[in-house]
Amino acid sequence: MAFDNKGLRDFRHRLGACICILVLAAGSTSFAQADLDSLDSWVRQMQPDPFIRCGESTWIEALDDTRERWLGKTYLEKVVLTNKLLQTLEDSHTAVSAYDWIWDVEHAFGTLPIRWHIEGGALWTLDSGLPGLPEGVRVLSLNGLQAESVVRAANDLAPMEGLSTTATSRVGAHNVTPYVLGITEKDTLTVTWVDPCTTLPKTDSWPSLRKKEARKAWKSISRRQPVVLWTYPDGSHLFKRDAKRLAKSPKAPSPIAGVTTLHIASFSLGSWRNFERRLRLGFEHVREHRGPLVINLRGNPGGQSYRMELLWNHLSNATTHLPYALIAKQSGFTAQINGRHYKRLRKRWVDKHLETSAEARYIHTMATMPVGETDTLFFPKKHPKTSRFRGPVALVIDGESASASVSFAGAFQDQKRGPVLGESCMGPANGTMGNPYLRRLPHSGIFVSLSTAVYMAKPVEDWAEGMPIQPDILIPDLWRNDAALQREIDEWIQTLPRFR
């Protein structure tokens, strides 16, 4: 068969294009394999027992399904796929790093002062700093995306601990705005909602904001408050400056009338010295009154175990293990970090306190453990403090109470220290995974957080049980039902001998 010069050139061009397509497809496939193979390898190397809640066959099936879906996806779609895959492990500390992917979206498309709430498959406005958009209304669509599909994607981007579907929805609500802006690649947000007056759909749009403008706009719905906040029955606080800070936070949680309230926003933020001082002085003050105390851990994502233990030691009436034990695994990645932590930062303190401090023993164990090995560190029993608070106590939790907050709620419930009110939290009473480290997938650049330890809150026969802690008193629609919470607290107070 003969070709003229033009025909030969066309044939070569087509052949070259086909080869390029094949090369690109092969490259994309190898990139997908590299990302997901790396993730699979890290999960197996870094976690002590990664498949304890799901089974290895379930993980392999989910991994294969993710490989099939990976090709041709955008960065954000890969983020969703990666986190959906990691949800299979039912470990809230093993997930895509929300901070990193949300920062990438906000850097490209900005943000808006709005908080959402997910209830079932429905999306609602929670706190709105957008002029004209009411709070507490049902949303029908965002940037042309149906609310139901946005809810599914937002939940797929959230962490999961055990069978904590309520908690996943609470955390997933924080993903709504960045997901919508990122997936539609727009710097405006168009919302269609149900008008509460006419019950008809209403639509409006708002431009996204960057940096200084965004910080200023978010102040209108700020929830900032001291990490440890005491509110006494007369409305006063532990320090006068607390009242000034709360005056600048229009959406700070409302105090509960008739009781002393201790709201702890996190077990990791702020300095240890300030955390310990506020707890100590606050309990000294509340012991003088001997009145009922409500501990509010709503929205507390957890943090450092020893801060949670410090709070528990002020309340515990019996000898307890909290936590009971920690199971840790050493990988090549963690060996380097643990070795540096021991040698450069804590060596003198660790060597001095090996016999007296569980934290020192843990740091030393992790710094000297061979790669690939797993070890269990048992924590000593702690006896009740003579200066502990002996008065009546209640605990409030919600779906965003996670990690160390879950361990505290489990011990509180097991010891029958008082009623637990609210909604189910993120995780079971038997413990959680923890000690996460960040890794970056080699080609997509997605940052993932991976657990390296298992915290056993108490000795149990089936640690894999994943049912989250349930409150003694369930408050329906807790997110918009402070009145119901107040009624339950009032009823509890009336059952106390001193207040009958």
Side-chain angles (χ1 to χ4, degrees), residues 332-351:
F333 179 79
T334 57
Q336 296 180 3
I337 297 175
N338 292 327
R340 288 197 298 266
H341 183 55
Y342 170 61
K343 292 179 180 178
R344 298 181 182 180
L345 302 177
R346 309 295 295 276
K347 189 174 189 301
R348 291 184 180 179
W349 179 85
V350 169
D351 292 347

Side-chain angles (χ1 to χ4, degrees), residues 31-285:
F31 289 166
Q33 294 288 352
D35 272 348
L36 297 176
D37 284 349
S38 296
L39 185 60
D40 181 43
S41 175
W42 295 340
V43 165
R44 295 173 183 274
Q45 291 174 8
M46 296 176 68
Q47 294 186 317
D49 197 349
F51 313 121
I52 189 171
R53 285 180 174 153
C54 68
E56 186 174 6
S57 60
T58 302
W59 166 257
I60 292 174
E61 183 180 344
L63 184 65
D64 290 342
D65 181 66
T66 305
R67 292 187 199 278
E68 294 179 4
R69 297 170 180 266
W70 191 266
L71 296 181
K73 299 298 184 183
T74 65
Y75 167 77
L76 189 51
E77 289 171 334
K78 289 178 180 178
V79 169
V80 176
L81 286 174
T82 303
N83 199 76
K84 182 65 175 176
L85 169 63
L86 293 175
Q87 283 183 345
T88 307
L89 302 175
E90 298 181 18
D91 168 14
S92 62
H93 297 83
T94 296
V96 170
S97 171
Y99 174 87
D100 289 284
W101 79 262
I102 289 176
W103 169 251
D104 289 341
V105 172
E106 291 184 350
H107 181 73
F109 303 107
T111 185
L112 294 99
I114 179 75
R115 294 190 187 94
W116 312 93
H117 178 82
I118 294 173
E119 198 68 49
L123 182 64
W124 303 75
T125 57
L126 180 60
D127 299 324
S128 175
L130 302 178
L133 179 60
E135 297 176 351
V137 296
R138 183 164 182 175
V139 177
L140 301 177
S141 68
L142 296 168
N143 280 6
L145 304 174
Q146 292 299 308
E148 291 79 5
S149 67
V150 173
V151 165
R152 285 194 297 271
N155 286 340
D156 287 345
L157 285 163
M160 178 178 287
E161 184 79 36
L163 304 174
S164 54
T165 53
T166 297
T168 298
S169 294
R170 300 294 174 265
V171 180
H174 297 289
N175 300 324
V176 169
T177 300
Y179 171 76
V180 170
L181 295 181
I183 205 70
T184 60
E185 298 184 349
K186 293 182 179 180
D187 56 6
T188 60
L189 182 67
T190 300
V191 184
T192 300
W193 71 95
V194 178
D195 189 296
C197 298
T198 65
T199 69
L200 297 175
K202 187 174 182 179
T203 302
D204 204 345
S205 298
W206 297 266
S208 63
L209 304 170
R210 311 294 179 98
K211 296 182 179 179
K212 291 183 179 180
E213 293 80 5
R215 285 196 294 269
K216 184 178 179 180
W218 274 98
K219 287 182 179 179
S220 65
I221 56 172
S222 172
R223 291 188 171 190
R224 291 191 64 184
Q225 64 177 51
V227 175
V228 178
L229 177 65
W230 290 90
T231 305
Y232 299 104
D234 61 0
S236 63
H237 302 283
L238 183 62
F239 299 112
K240 292 182 179 180
R241 63 177 178 270
D242 292 345
K244 295 181 180 179
R245 289 186 63 181
L246 290 173
K248 299 178 181 179
S249 298
K251 296 297 181 179
S254 303
I256 300 172
V259 296
T260 297
T261 304
L262 169 59
H263 189 177
I264 300 181
S266 168
F267 287 117
S268 61
L269 296 177
S271 69
W272 161 259
R273 179 176 297 181
N274 190 44
F275 187 91
E276 185 278 332
R277 179 169 176 260
R278 280 181 171 265
L279 273 189
R280 174 171 46 81
L281 294 179
F283 273 107
E284 287 176 1
H285 192 174

Side-chain angles (χ1 to χ4, degrees), residues 397-475:
I397 58 173
D398 67 2
E400 293 187 76
S401 304
S403 193
S405 297
V406 175
S407 298
F408 179 89
F412 190 92
Q413 210 168 43
D414 287 346
Q415 203 177 102
K416 296 179 172 56
R417 191 61 181 86
V420 178
L421 304 93
E423 62 185 16
S424 61
C425 59
M426 182 172 281
N430 50 20
T432 67
M433 280 69 161
N435 290 13
Y437 288 88
L438 280 181
R439 302 296 300 267
R440 187 176 186 179
L441 297 183
H443 291 289
S444 63
I446 297 170
F447 283 92
V448 293
S449 168
L450 299 166
S451 295
T452 61
V454 171
Y455 280 90
M456 298 180 66
K458 57 184 178 181
V460 292
E461 292 183 0
D462 183 13
W463 194 90
E465 168 60 41
M467 186 60 63
I469 292 176
Q470 303 296 319
D472 302 314
I473 303 173
L474 176 66
I475 310 293

